[in-house]
Amino acid sequence: MRFHSPVGGGIALWNGSAPKTGETVDVEYDLDEVFSWGKNIMPSSEKTSKINLIADTIYIIAELTPSADRTCAALKLSDSIILIELEGPIPLESGFVEVRAARIHLYPTNI
């Protein structure tokens, strides 16, 4: 399903009853894959959150904050937080990154 948000849009897998065309829905983003530094997560020179769909890949620019043990991290995408799993330690304490994801799952929060 196609989606649009204040930071961009793309295609995602929707979980639950599909919203009506044009309906505004509060959602939770889920990136169901493991991210490897230099492969599908890397530093970004851009400092503004955004989502772009290019070919079949979702590109997300967001601010990264790794966990203390560096096995996962939080991506701050504008006002949203997306938790991601990391394959190994990353060399970045925090800052903006580009994440390349094969798919996004959207879950309605029912708020």
Side-chain angles (χ1 to χ4, degrees), residues 15 42-44 47 52-53 56 62-63 68 80 92 97-98 103 105 108 110:
N15 294 278
M42 56 210 64
S44 174
K47 305 297 182 214
N52 283 322
L53 174 64
D56 291 331
E63 191 171 4
S80 299
L92 190 66
V97 294
E98 175 185 274
R103 12 175 221 284
H105 294 264
N110 299 316

Side-chain angles (χ1 to χ4, degrees), residues 19-56:
K20 296 175 184 145
T21 301
E23 181 180 5
T24 299
V25 179
D26 188 71
V27 298
E28 178 181 322
Y29 295 92
D30 182 31
L31 305 177
D32 189 21
E33 54 194 283
V34 178
F35 292 90
S36 301
W37 190 255
K39 182 180 175 189
N40 57 357
I41 183 170
M42 56 210 64
S44 174
S45 59
E46 296 187 49
K47 305 297 182 214
T48 303
S49 294
K50 69 179 175 180
I51 299 173
N52 283 322
L53 174 64
I54 302 172
D56 291 331

Side-chain angles (χ1 to χ4, degrees), residues 1-24:
M1 116 179 281
R2 289 202 167 274
F3 72 93
H4 300 280
S5 76
V7 294
I11 296 176
L13 299 171
W14 182 262
N15 294 278
S17 298
K20 296 175 184 145
T21 301
E23 181 180 5
T24 299

Side-chain angles (χ1 to χ4, degrees), residues 79-92:
D79 294 335
S80 299
I81 301 292
I82 303 171
L83 299 177
I84 61 170
E85 184 179 350
L86 301 171
E87 184 174 57
I90 60 172
L92 190 66

